[in-house]
């Protein structure tokens, strides 16, 4: 399972937790403007916006988990089991496989407003990358500095939701996730007033009692509520250090620890957490074993090139000794 979110200080930030029980040998990848993107049922993109994000590179093709393009538009795909439903090709529509969806969007568009219009002709078609890499059941969050969308291909068609919280987890469908927030309207960052009984003197014996009722389990619906509460109330200074640190604290509020979520004979963990400064094109990440931040700068490669720049994850713990 996963969590993706947005945060704005002076600059805008977008990122996610990838929660799985195994790794696909992820790497941060920069795709320059002239790397050719072939599409199975649509016209190829031979020139496009450059992008940076997390991928598995298969047969030279970057399969993006999350990415930001040079214009600041960002996108991430998150697990959506039992709900995702991909379609047959439809004549006259833009037929895009889910593994092509991120580069197709980020390669062409600058804003969520442009994407919203393009989605009117989109069909997410049931075409796998290969027999060894079948399609994953996904839904997506697409964001710029001003707004976000959630895109879900389900049995009754393509659903495009305005996403006012700029955040996404997994099941159930986004409309239910958003409605469920109504159940937490009384949760607060302030200390609570005694409304239990006028006859009883109740003591606010601890800080944080206003947040009593927030879910603390690791399910996708509970993580949605907890992460929205954290993100909506987060504050930081405007410096890069303060904003990036705050972003990782938001993601840390819903990260998965080894041993807490059983998946067969394995355990789901937060394999990596990412945070991209979408204004500057700097992609930060940390991994489960390495809590030190590592950064990849989109603008430190030749963006007019035609070859991928791939950076394997630094996964071992990095310790700075002080004595």
């Amino acid at each position: 399972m996963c969590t993706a979110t947005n945060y704005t200080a002076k600059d805008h930030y977008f990122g996610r937790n990838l929660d799985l029980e195994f790794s696909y040998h992820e790497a941060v990848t920069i795709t320059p403007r002239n790397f050719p993107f072939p599409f199975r049922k649509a016209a190829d993109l031979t020139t496009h916006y450059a992008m940076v994000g997390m991928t598995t590179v298969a047969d030279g093709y970057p399969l993006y988990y999350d990415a930001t393009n040079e214009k600041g538009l960002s996108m991430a795909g998150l697990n959506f089991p039992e709900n995702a439903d991909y379609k047959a090709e439809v004549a006259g529509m833009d037929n895009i496989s889910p593994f092509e969806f991120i580069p197709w969007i980020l390669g062409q568009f600058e804003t969520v407003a442009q994407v919203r219009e393009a989605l009117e002709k989109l069909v997410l078609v049931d075409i796998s990358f290969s027999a060894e890499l079948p399609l994953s059941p996904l839904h997506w969050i697409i964001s710029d500095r001003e707004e976000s969308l959630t895109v879900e291909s389900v049995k009754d068609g393509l659903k495009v939701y305005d996403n006012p919280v700029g955040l996404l987890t997994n099941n159930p469908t986004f409309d239910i996730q958003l409605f469920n927030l109504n159940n937490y309207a009384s949760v607060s960052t302030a200390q609570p007033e005694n409304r239990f009984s006028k006859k009883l003197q109740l003591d606010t014996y601890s800080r944080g009692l206003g947040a009593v009722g927030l879910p603390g389990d690791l399910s996708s619906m509970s993580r949605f509520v907890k992460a929205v509460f954290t993100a909506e109330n987060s504050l930081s200074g405007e410096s890069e250090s303060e904003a990036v640190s705050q972003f990782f604290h938001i993601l840390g509020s819903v990260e998965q620890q080894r041993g807490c979520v059983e998946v067969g004979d394995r355990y789901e963990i937060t394999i990596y957490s990412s945070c991209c400064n979408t204004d500057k094109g700097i992609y930060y990440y940390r991994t489960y074993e390495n809590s030190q931040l590592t950064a990849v700068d989109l603008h430190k490669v030749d963006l007019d090139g035609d070859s991928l720049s791939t950076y394997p994850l630094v996964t071992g713990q990095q310790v700075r000794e002080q004595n």
Side-chain angles (χ1 to χ4, degrees):
M1 300 298 181
C2 310
T3 304
T5 192
N6 290 262
Y7 181 69
T8 303
K10 179 180 179 181
D11 290 340
H12 175 250
Y13 302 85
F14 177 90
R16 60 97 57 81
N17 287 340
L18 179 75
D19 303 327
L20 282 174
E21 67 274 21
F22 52 82
S23 170
Y24 285 101
H25 307 292
E26 297 80 17
V28 180
T29 300
I30 295 175
T31 302
R33 298 171 185 136
N34 293 305
F35 175 86
F37 272 118
F39 296 124
R40 302 294 175 86
K41 297 294 181 179
D44 296 350
L45 284 180
T46 54
T47 60
H48 49 77
Y49 294 129
M51 62 194 76
V52 60
M54 195 70 72
T55 70
T56 292
V57 178
D59 297 330
Y61 195 101
L63 300 171
Y64 274 103
Y65 302 15
D66 57 88
T68 295
N69 72 13
E70 61 183 292
K71 300 298 182 180
L73 186 66
S74 302
M75 187 171 176
L78 284 73
N79 200 28
F80 196 43
E82 300 179 9
N83 279 312
D85 187 82
Y86 305 133
K87 309 302 181 184
E89 184 181 0
V90 177
M93 300 290 282
D94 291 320
N95 295 281
I96 300 298
S97 171
F99 77 82
E100 304 167 331
F101 193 25
I102 289 179
W104 188 78
I105 290 291
L106 298 188
Q108 301 182 85
F109 304 111
E110 299 182 20
T111 66
V112 166
Q114 293 172 342
V115 172
R116 186 183 287 108
E117 183 178 351
L119 292 176
E120 295 176 3
K121 293 189 63 180
L122 178 73
V123 178
L124 288 170
V125 292
D126 189 8
I127 301 174
S128 295
F129 181 80
S130 66
E132 294 75 24
L133 290 173
L135 294 177
S136 298
L138 300 175
H139 60 172
W140 293 264
I141 181 172
I142 306 171
S143 302
D144 61 20
R145 188 184 183 96
E146 304 299 328
E147 56 180 332
S148 296
L149 296 177
T150 296
V151 179
E152 298 179 341
S153 182
V154 293
K155 287 185 178 179
D156 59 347
L158 191 74
K159 305 295 183 181
V160 180
Y161 300 100
D162 289 331
N163 185 331
V165 296
L167 193 143
L168 189 64
T169 58
N170 312 102
N171 288 334
T173 56
F174 184 72
D175 54 338
I176 296 174
Q177 293 271 37
L178 202 59
F179 182 81
N180 182 52
L181 293 179
N182 288 293
N183 293 318
Y184 300 92
S186 63
V187 174
S188 171
T189 60
Q191 290 291 77
E193 297 178 21
N194 178 13
R195 295 191 176 97
F196 185 83
S197 171
K198 294 180 180 179
K199 299 177 182 179
L200 297 175
Q201 294 295 318
L202 300 181
D203 182 26
T204 52
Y205 60 88
S206 171
R207 295 177 181 180
L209 288 174
V212 169
L214 272 181
D217 64 86
L218 298 173
S219 67
S220 57
M221 204 161 189
S222 293
R223 282 186 288 105
F224 185 85
V225 175
K226 178 67 182 298
V228 169
F229 177 81
T230 307
E232 289 290 316
N233 292 292
S234 279
L235 298 171
S236 74
E238 292 188 346
S239 74
E240 184 77 347
S241 175
E242 291 171 292
V244 170
S245 295
Q246 186 71 3
F247 193 97
F248 280 102
H249 282 300
I250 295 169
L251 291 178
S253 72
V254 289
E255 66 184 2
Q256 309 273 49
Q257 297 80 27
R258 181 178 284 115
C260 295
V261 179
E262 293 185 16
V263 185
D265 60 351
R266 301 183 184 185
Y267 295 96
E268 183 173 278
I269 62 172
T270 299
I271 291 177
Y272 74 84
S273 301
S274 67
C275 168
C276 187
N277 180 323
T278 68
D279 296 310
K280 294 184 172 67
I282 303 172
Y283 187 95
Y284 302 90
Y285 72 87
R286 66 185 185 194
T287 64
Y288 191 83
E289 299 291 344
N290 180 18
S291 53
Q292 184 180 85
L293 299 186
T294 305
V296 176
D297 190 334
L298 174 67
H299 297 283
K300 287 187 176 180
V301 305
D302 178 11
L303 294 186
D304 289 320
D306 59 5
S307 299
L308 300 176
S309 296
T310 302
Y311 306 88
L313 299 193
V314 180
T315 56
Q317 187 64 272
Q318 306 294 300
V319 178
R320 180 178 179 180
E321 297 181 359
Q322 285 194 296
N323 64 3

